[in-house]
Amino acid sequence: MLVVVSDTHAREESRLQGRTAEAVREADLVIHAGDFYREPVLDAFQSTTAALRAVYGNNDDAAICDRVPEVRTVEYAGVRFAVTHRHRSGDTGLVMLGRGRDADAVICGHSHRPRFDDSGGLPILNPGSHAQPRGNRPAHAELRPVDDGAGDGLDGRLVMPDGEEFETFRIGAESRE
């Protein structure tokens, strides 16, 4: 399972609770889309999960920015993601970033609003914030390989820390040859 979190905004700990904590511990891979806030939070995530791929956000301290990139490409179960915290040109910029990295989808954070949008030519996934939702529901994303024999792809869901699932989606792997 791939788990996506973002916008922790903490000083010393991961602030993982409930289903979010369970999912991060169970995951094959965890992507954090920026704004840990302070370096001990990055360390806490690294000690909690077997594999972490992170980017820094606009509120991360210099120590985090020295350890993780602003943008990265991550592949999981045949699906390639462009990962960044935010893009000044909004969804259009995110789609262009994803296309420039030959990605099947883009993962971002920043807004603290969980959403999946595949209406703009390239799917955009924002897991929201599990720890500081700022008026939105707290959330993370869980993605698992498609289990229908139809080929590469991931079935995803947006989930609250109490375990409530509130949106499902599918991301397919496009041919990149």
Side-chain angles (χ1 to χ4, degrees), residues 6 14 18-19 32 34 36 41 43 62 65 77 82 89 97 121 153-154 160 164 168:
S6 187
S14 64
R19 176 61 198 157
H32 193 295
F36 293 92
V41 182
D43 294 336
C65 297
S89 297
L97 171 73
L154 297 168
M160 295 176 59
E164 179 186 340
T168 60

Side-chain angles (χ1 to χ4, degrees), residues 1-174:
M1 171 175 58
L2 167 65
V3 173
V4 184
V5 293
S6 187
D7 294 281
T8 303
H9 289 274
R11 293 182 181 278
E12 296 180 9
E13 59 188 41
S14 64
R15 298 177 67 187
L16 294 168
Q17 296 180 349
R19 176 61 198 157
T20 308
E22 291 170 14
V24 166
R25 283 192 301 271
E26 294 169 5
D28 303 313
L29 178 64
V30 174
I31 294 175
H32 193 295
D35 276 2
F36 293 92
Y37 192 56
R38 298 291 179 254
E39 188 176 28
V41 182
L42 171 58
D43 294 336
F45 270 94
Q46 287 180 318
S47 69
T48 303
T49 183
L52 176 69
R53 302 293 180 270
V55 296
Y56 67 78
N58 61 302
N59 286 301
D60 284 324
D61 65 18
I64 293 170
C65 297
D66 288 343
R67 290 175 55 187
V68 299
E70 180 179 16
V71 179
R72 75 183 321 148
T73 303
V74 177
E75 203 161 319
Y76 180 78
V79 177
R80 185 178 295 166
F81 296 95
V83 183
T84 190
H85 183 63
R86 69 175 179 164
H87 198 286
R88 288 181 183 87
S89 297
D91 285 358
T92 300
L94 290 169
V95 169
M96 291 176 69
L97 171 73
R99 287 192 176 142
R101 289 188 168 246
D102 203 20
D104 300 302
V106 177
I107 293 173
C108 63
H110 190 62
S111 72
H112 297 231
R113 183 172 59 94
R115 74 180 181 113
F116 177 78
D117 183 353
D118 61 356
S119 66
L122 201 63
I124 298 171
L125 171 62
N126 185 328
S129 174
H130 64 281
Q132 193 180 74
R134 293 187 179 163
N136 300 292
R137 61 177 91 193
H140 69 275
E142 298 178 13
L143 298 96
R144 298 177 189 273
V146 171
D147 193 24
D148 65 4
D152 288 337
L154 297 168
D155 283 328
R157 64 189 201 132
L158 290 169
V159 185
M160 295 176 59
D162 68 5
E164 179 186 340
E165 174 185 295
F166 60 91
E167 185 173 349
T168 60
F169 55 89
R170 178 169 282 183
I171 298 174
E174 304 299 322

